[in-house]
């Protein structure tokens, strides 16, 4: 069975609002490896999808950014995507399927399909998946910033029970960011 991996950047005070801080440049290789080696399906809500597309596909086409940006963009474009949205009329790329059905049932179905793991990003859809107990692995990158404002991870989420995690890997980057990988126990 495929695992659902939730990956996100956070500040030291738990801010996950991408407009409140800029992730360090040395993280692109980390995320490129995650896309390329560990996953073959990306799951987003509309907001996160529209942040990623057309931005990364445009970089993959233009080849005008840094080597790291281009490698990430190519890995991103190569992946199939599922977007949960009631309002998105159509997807901008052929690798994307819009889903308007029950999140729980669709994720359970995707987990049963053959393939590599499923990567979920953003805040709204992952928060719902965490509430439903469907996230198997958490990959947090903590940036050495105190934002003092902005959306916090799991804000407004009511977990039915505490989610116990086990740290299985950590890595410190030159920028001072720390990647933490946890498995659900």
């Amino acid at each position: 069975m495929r695992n659902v991996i939730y990956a996100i950047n956070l500040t030291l005070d738990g801010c996950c609002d991408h407009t409140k801080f800029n992730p360090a440049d040395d993280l692109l290789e980390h995320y490129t490896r995650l896309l390329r080696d560990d996953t073959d399906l990306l799951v987003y809500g509309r907001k996160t999808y529209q942040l990623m597309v057309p931005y990364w596909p445009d970089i993959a086409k233009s080849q005008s950014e840094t080597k790291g940006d281009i490698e990430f963009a190519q890995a991103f474009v190569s992946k199939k995507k599922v977007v949960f949205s009631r309002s998105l009329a159509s997807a901008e790329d052929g690798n994307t399927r819009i889903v308007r059905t029950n999140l729980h049932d669709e994720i359970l179905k995707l987990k049963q399909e053959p393939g590599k793991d499923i990567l979920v990003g953003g805040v709204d859809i992952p928060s719902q998946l965490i509430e439903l107990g469907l996230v198997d692995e958490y990959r947090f990158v903590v940036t050495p910033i105190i934002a003092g404002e902005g959306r916090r991870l799991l804000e407004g989420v009511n977990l039915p029970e505490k989610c116990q995690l086990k740290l299985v890997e950590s890595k410190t980057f030159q920028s001072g960011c720390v990647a933490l990988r946890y498995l659900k126990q």
Side-chain angles (χ1 to χ4, degrees):
M1 183 185 304
R2 299 161 95 180
N3 286 324
V4 173
I5 300 171
Y6 177 36
I8 193 163
N9 296 328
L10 302 165
T11 63
L12 287 170
D13 57 341
C15 176
C16 55
D17 181 338
H18 76 282
T19 65
K20 304 300 179 194
F21 63 98
N22 291 323
D25 291 336
D26 56 0
L27 298 181
L28 265 180
E29 184 180 329
H30 170 76
Y31 283 112
T32 300
R33 263 188 270 107
L34 174 59
L35 283 178
R36 188 183 56 228
D37 301 342
D38 298 345
T39 62
D40 62 6
L41 177 65
L42 308 176
V43 172
Y44 298 124
R46 178 195 54 82
K47 292 176 198 171
T48 302
Y49 175 73
Q50 290 180 320
L51 286 171
M52 303 294 276
V53 174
Y55 182 80
W56 289 111
D58 286 349
I59 288 175
K61 284 180 206 161
S62 73
Q63 301 279 305
S64 61
E65 295 295 324
T66 67
K67 180 181 181 238
D69 284 336
I70 293 167
E71 287 175 356
F72 178 86
Q74 290 171 337
F76 176 81
V77 168
S78 73
K79 301 301 174 184
K80 290 182 180 178
K81 297 161 200 73
V82 170
V83 178
F84 286 90
S85 175
R86 290 182 201 93
S87 61
L88 192 62
S90 63
E92 292 195 28
D93 66 337
N95 278 351
T96 300
R97 180 170 61 96
I98 299 173
V99 176
R100 302 182 200 291
T101 58
N102 181 288
L103 176 67
H104 178 269
D105 294 345
E106 184 67 23
I107 294 297
L108 285 178
K109 187 175 91 176
L110 293 170
K111 287 180 73 145
Q112 296 299 323
E113 292 178 357
K116 293 181 179 180
D117 289 335
I118 301 164
L119 180 64
V120 61
V123 178
D124 292 334
I125 295 297
S127 293
Q128 292 173 53
L129 292 173
I130 292 167
E131 274 186 302
L132 293 167
L134 294 175
V135 175
D136 303 294
E137 185 174 325
Y138 297 81
R139 297 201 187 183
F140 299 131
V141 174
V142 181
T143 62
I145 296 169
I146 297 174
E149 63 177 342
R151 187 167 190 190
R152 299 298 191 260
L153 188 62
L154 300 176
E155 203 167 56
V157 171
N158 294 311
L159 295 177
E161 60 186 42
K162 195 184 320 182
C163 183
Q164 188 67 40
L165 305 176
K166 179 182 179 183
L167 179 66
V168 293
E169 186 178 351
S170 65
K171 177 181 179 180
T172 303
F173 294 91
Q174 199 167 16
S175 62
C177 294
V178 179
L180 302 167
R181 180 176 171 222
Y182 292 95
L183 298 179
K184 185 168 76 172
Q185 290 189 345

